[in-house]
Amino acid sequence: MNSLTAPDTIVSDTKDWTWVLTRPCPDCGFDASAHAVADLPRLLHDTAMVWSQALRGADVAILPGAGTWSPLEYACHVRDVHQIFADRVRSVLDQDIPTFSGWDQDRAADEPSYAEQEPSWMSN
């Protein structure tokens, strides 16, 4: 465990997150239906800049409360989601009938541990 991380247990998330395509997220306010595909490059850039700044904070690895990931863990998750979708887009472009394997987000958070990632390499 990262020395900055408070001991805590994150409960596995079994939520079907596809609902974010049809209504705004009450936690962060993102509304996917308000954006066109052409907005994607700008949105990716802008969120990368926000994460880059967030990862420079001294408390980046500290859990803000029970059952909530640290900013570092969320940043790692966002990084992995972007990688999964980049791989899937490549498959769609390269294959006539692409197939997509499932992604276990909880396992991804544990192996390697998001909490033990080095934030400095992600913010460069």
Side-chain angles (χ1 to χ4, degrees):
M1 182 185 311
N2 186 310
S3 62
L4 297 176
T5 305
D8 198 0
T9 301
I10 302 296
V11 178
S12 292
D13 184 354
T14 58
K15 201 181 296 180
D16 176 359
W17 283 94
T18 57
W19 62 265
V20 298
L21 299 175
T22 58
R23 64 183 189 267
C25 176
D27 295 324
C28 73
F30 181 75
D31 183 358
S33 67
H35 300 283
V37 172
D39 295 334
L40 190 56
R42 179 186 50 78
L43 290 169
L44 289 170
H45 173 269
D46 292 353
T47 57
M49 294 301 99
V50 170
W51 281 113
S52 178
Q53 287 301 314
L55 290 169
R56 296 178 203 278
D59 59 351
V60 69
I62 296 174
L63 298 173
T68 303
W69 279 351
S70 69
L72 174 61
E73 291 165 312
Y74 277 113
C76 290
H77 176 70
V78 169
R79 174 203 62 203
D80 288 354
V81 167
H82 285 195
Q83 184 62 55
I84 293 289
F85 278 94
D87 293 343
R88 290 178 178 185
V89 167
R90 275 191 288 282
S91 293
V92 167
L93 295 173
D94 295 343
Q95 301 172 25
D96 290 333
I97 304 173
T99 57
F100 308 112
S101 59
W103 181 52
D104 184 341
Q105 65 187 23
D106 293 318
R107 184 173 177 187
D110 290 334
E111 300 171 6
S113 172
Y114 283 173
E116 295 185 22
Q117 300 282 314
E118 177 55 48
S120 64
W121 72 265
M122 293 179 63
S123 63
N124 294 326

